[in-house]
Amino acid sequence: MVCIGGNRCMETVQGDITLQKVDALVNAANTSLLGGGGVDGAIHRAGGPAILEECRALNGCETGDAKITTGGNLFASYVIHTVGPVYEDGKQGEPELLASCYRRSLEVAVENHIQTLAFPAISCGVYGYPLEEAAQIALEECVAFLKASTAIRLVRFVLFNETIHRVFQNALSQVTGC
Ligand code: AR6
């Protein structure tokens, strides 16, 4: 775990995001917000139909933006749904859009008085973002946010397998110098 300014911490763990005991989970959704596979499917399955019902009222979400629902049956009280970019060649605005997912998710968290949250590796599954680049962007954006704001106490990255976990762990050390 790496802490910034004494009380804002970041960590990487390997595991299933749906089991995390934090205030909010971030979901790697699609623009319809009506569910899908991967982490999106897992969150909707674990949280139950209340999440989808709330999502229907949100009118979708643009790539790079984030919207919030409650957490249904999850331990987490909220789910922040963000939409990562589909990776093409890295020259279609993908880095800015991916950074925006993390920033907007953290902004929505602060607006809703959320203090602890868990992120998956947004865009690193079906959307095909190269892992090292995605991890660097994710960590840089979150570190910058925690340096500028005291509202969030914990950002946990929950990575589904050992390879992705190692990449995010290295990026955390590199970005923070710890
Ligand atoms: N906990 C943590 N990470 C997970 C879990 C889980 N339970 N399940 C999968 N992952 P993806 P994307 C990891 O494909 O690339 C959906 O259909 C997975 O190993 O879920 O942003 C949406 O509806 C990978 O590292 O999201 C969209 O259509 C990471 O989560 C599309 O996929 C993200 O993989 C979004 O694609």
Side-chain angles (χ1 to χ4, degrees):
M1 184 179 293
V2 174
C3 293
I4 292 159
N7 61 349
R8 285 102 73 198
C9 299
M10 296 182 62
E11 64 181 352
T12 61
V13 301
Q14 188 185 332
D16 179 348
I17 199 168
T18 64
L19 304 176
Q20 302 303 308
K21 299 195 165 166
V22 287
D23 298 338
L25 308 184
V26 178
N27 181 19
N30 58 59
T31 54
S32 78
L33 293 187
L34 297 180
V39 73
D40 195 6
I43 287 175
H44 279 279
R45 267 195 307 279
I51 299 177
L52 186 58
E53 218 166 282
E54 287 180 54
C55 279
R56 286 192 206 286
L58 294 176
N59 266 323
C61 181
E62 288 187 7
T63 303
D65 200 3
K67 294 190 177 180
I68 192 166
T69 64
T70 61
N73 302 328
L74 293 165
F75 177 92
S77 304
Y78 296 98
V79 176
I80 298 171
H81 305 263
T82 190
V83 183
V86 176
Y87 190 85
E88 289 178 43
D89 58 2
K91 296 174 187 154
Q92 313 301 320
E94 297 96 327
E96 294 76 17
L97 287 167
L98 186 61
S100 173
C101 286
Y102 287 96
R103 192 170 55 251
R104 287 290 304 131
S105 296
L106 290 162
E107 284 171 359
V108 168
V110 172
E111 283 162 16
N112 288 276
H113 311 291
I114 287 160
Q115 296 191 329
T116 60
L117 72 170
F119 279 104
I122 299 164
S123 284
C124 292
V126 181
Y127 283 0
Y129 216 105
L131 267 188
E132 275 81 5
E133 289 170 46
Q136 186 80 17
I137 291 166
L139 272 303
E140 274 175 4
E141 202 58 41
C142 290
V143 166
F145 195 94
L146 293 196
K147 279 185 177 163
S149 159
T150 57
I152 302 285
R153 287 193 299 111
L154 176 71
V155 172
R156 177 182 296 155
F157 284 88
V158 183
L159 296 321
F160 213 37
N161 65 47
E162 204 186 322
T163 307
I164 307 180
H165 181 223
R166 205 174 311 117
V167 172
F168 272 71
Q169 212 171 21
N170 289 342
L172 177 61
S173 318
Q174 207 189 318
V175 170
T176 59
C178 297

